[in-house]
Amino acid sequence: MTRTIDWTDGAVELIDQTQLPHHEVVLRIEEVPPLVDAISRLAVRGAPALGVAGAFGVVLAAQNHDPVSARADFDAAVASVRGARPTAVNLARGVDLALARVDDGVEAVLAAALELRDDEITASWSMSAYGADLVTELAGRPVRAMTICNTGGLAAVERGTALGVIQELHERGDLTEALPLETRPLLQGGRLSTWELARMGAPHRLVVDSAAPFLLSLGRADVVLVGADRIARDGTTANKIGTFSLALAARHAGVPFVVVAPESTVDPATGSGDEIEIEDRGPTEVVHVQGVAIAPPDTEAINPAFDLTAPELITAVVTDRRVVRFDRGESLASIPPGERRAPSRV
Ligand code: MRU
């Protein structure tokens, strides 16, 4: 299985990302509750992949509860998918896209979900190319690229957002090394980005989260590339916790800070960061590392899964349809989405 999530013979199949890098386990999911569970415990994660999971979730809901004769059960199932995680706008958007076709029957809902899957794949390839061009313009070549969380094919069905740009740079021969941050507490960088970078054969060294500002101040990275879970109209970007610190450090060091995300992550309905719900995942995953307690029993913890970075700290936002240079005074409103760039693989 090369796609992180797909639809196969009437069911969702997804790579259980909680098991990586040690075990490559594919989950086959035929009902809504196990899909909601997979989303909640981050077996499937990353904004674009969550969008596709949301759309497939509506298909499962429609298969299991007839939207005409069992409407209340169908609505409850759909609501449980939609509410499984709050921050990435893609999840709700994926649900809504599929739901819009429900009156046309299950096959139409499935067609909408498959269209979203294909759309996200195409978007990944387009933004990888736009992003790599921009990195060369901003930082020259070859580059050392720092990144946080996991934003590769695992997070985006195929290819990825920020890690997709890093892969494109590597394939062009323009990557000196990638510097993924571990990304406490769930270690998406340490477990998943390292796994993806190794598979693509890209040179990389894993960085402790708290070392990032120091390394940037020493000039050890030429660019910082991050993904996004939601981008508000004013450009404020919600992304994995630690992104804001990275943006502050990049600004202090004079290093370009670039957000890479598909248009599906830009949310016109959200005006600013105040309107974005930040998921708090509770204390357990902070006071345990991979199931082992590291603090005394009953230790309380604060565990926001995401933070907000203001547009002033962002050099540019790259999507599959535009490059918006905040550093040049451009905004999401002043640069409307244009054409997608043809994938470099075809
Ligand atoms: O909690 P996660 O692992 O779902 O968080 C993912 C991120 O923050 C990613 O940076 C974001 O979704 C972009 S993924 C292409």
Side-chain angles (χ1 to χ4, degrees):
M1 182 170 174
T2 53
R3 290 176 180 160
T4 192
I5 183 167
D6 216 338
W7 184 264
T8 311
D9 299 330
V12 179
E13 288 195 342
L14 56 88
I15 297 173
D16 184 347
Q17 298 187 36
T18 65
Q19 306 260 1
L20 291 172
H22 305 301
H23 307 287
E24 290 180 39
V25 176
V26 174
L27 301 178
R28 186 171 167 81
I29 298 177
E30 298 178 356
E31 291 177 13
V32 169
L35 180 70
V36 171
D37 179 60
I39 294 171
S40 305
R41 62 187 183 82
L42 274 56
V44 58
R45 48 151 295 283
L50 284 174
V52 175
F56 285 154
V58 180
V59 186
L60 291 181
Q63 279 186 172
N64 288 295
H65 311 283
D66 185 90
V68 178
S69 61
R71 188 71 195 200
D73 289 342
F74 171 76
D75 285 347
V78 169
S80 68
V81 178
R82 204 173 193 282
R85 294 191 77 192
T87 305
V89 68
N90 300 65
L91 178 60
R93 186 177 172 273
V95 167
D96 292 345
L97 271 175
L99 195 56
R101 300 296 306 279
V102 75
D103 292 343
D104 303 324
V106 181
E107 285 308 314
V109 177
L110 176 59
L114 294 175
E115 194 178 317
L116 176 62
R117 176 203 63 191
D118 294 344
D119 209 43
E120 290 298 358
I121 292 170
T122 309
S124 276
W125 285 86
S126 175
M127 74 187 115
S128 298
Y130 278 134
D133 290 351
L134 178 70
V135 168
T136 300
E137 189 183 327
L138 290 170
R141 60 159 72 103
V143 293
R144 299 158 300 171
M146 186 173 276
T147 188
I148 188 168
C149 199
N150 169 263
T151 58
L154 287 170
V157 190
E158 267 186 32
R159 193 76 169 174
T161 61
L163 208 63
V165 173
I166 289 173
Q167 181 163 7
E168 178 89 17
L169 289 164
H170 171 58
E171 288 166 359
R172 292 182 186 182
D174 289 343
L175 181 74
T176 305
E177 69 173 341
L179 297 167
L181 303 194
E182 280 183 309
T183 319
R184 274 280 289 152
L186 294 182
L187 303 172
Q188 289 93 329
R191 295 184 301 108
L192 308 177
S193 297
T194 49
W195 184 75
E196 294 200 298
L197 286 160
R199 279 164 64 110
M200 66 179 87
H204 60 282
R205 288 187 286 172
L206 186 59
V207 173
V208 176
D209 293 341
S210 46
F214 181 53
L215 293 177
L216 285 168
S217 76
L218 294 177
R220 299 278 189 87
D222 306 302
V223 66
V224 176
L225 294 163
V226 304
D229 286 86
R230 188 185 299 235
I231 303 176
R233 274 203 311 279
D234 70 353
T236 301
T237 294
N239 192 49
K240 181 50 56 192
I241 191 75
T243 302
F244 175 47
S245 334
L246 205 47
L248 287 168
R251 171 57 53 91
H252 183 74
V255 172
F257 182 90
V258 177
V259 173
V260 187
E263 286 293 331
S264 56
T265 300
V266 179
D267 183 17
T270 300
S272 66
D274 305 344
E275 298 166 38
I276 300 177
E277 183 182 344
I278 300 293
E279 177 183 9
D280 189 305
R281 294 187 56 82
T284 307
E285 56 195 39
V286 179
V287 298
H288 294 77
V289 174
Q290 302 276 281
V292 178
I294 56 160
D298 302 326
T299 300
E300 292 295 331
I302 303 173
N303 187 18
F306 303 96
D307 59 25
L308 299 169
T309 301
E312 295 76 27
L313 292 173
I314 297 170
T315 306
V317 170
V318 175
T319 79
D320 48 307
R321 294 181 191 274
R322 53 182 158 167
V323 173
V324 185
R325 293 286 298 263
F326 289 177
D327 65 336
R328 291 184 176 163
E330 296 173 358
S331 67
L332 291 168
S334 71
I335 308 289
E339 288 304 305
R340 247 184 203 152
R341 172 133 165 199
S344 52
R345 62 178 163 163
V346 291

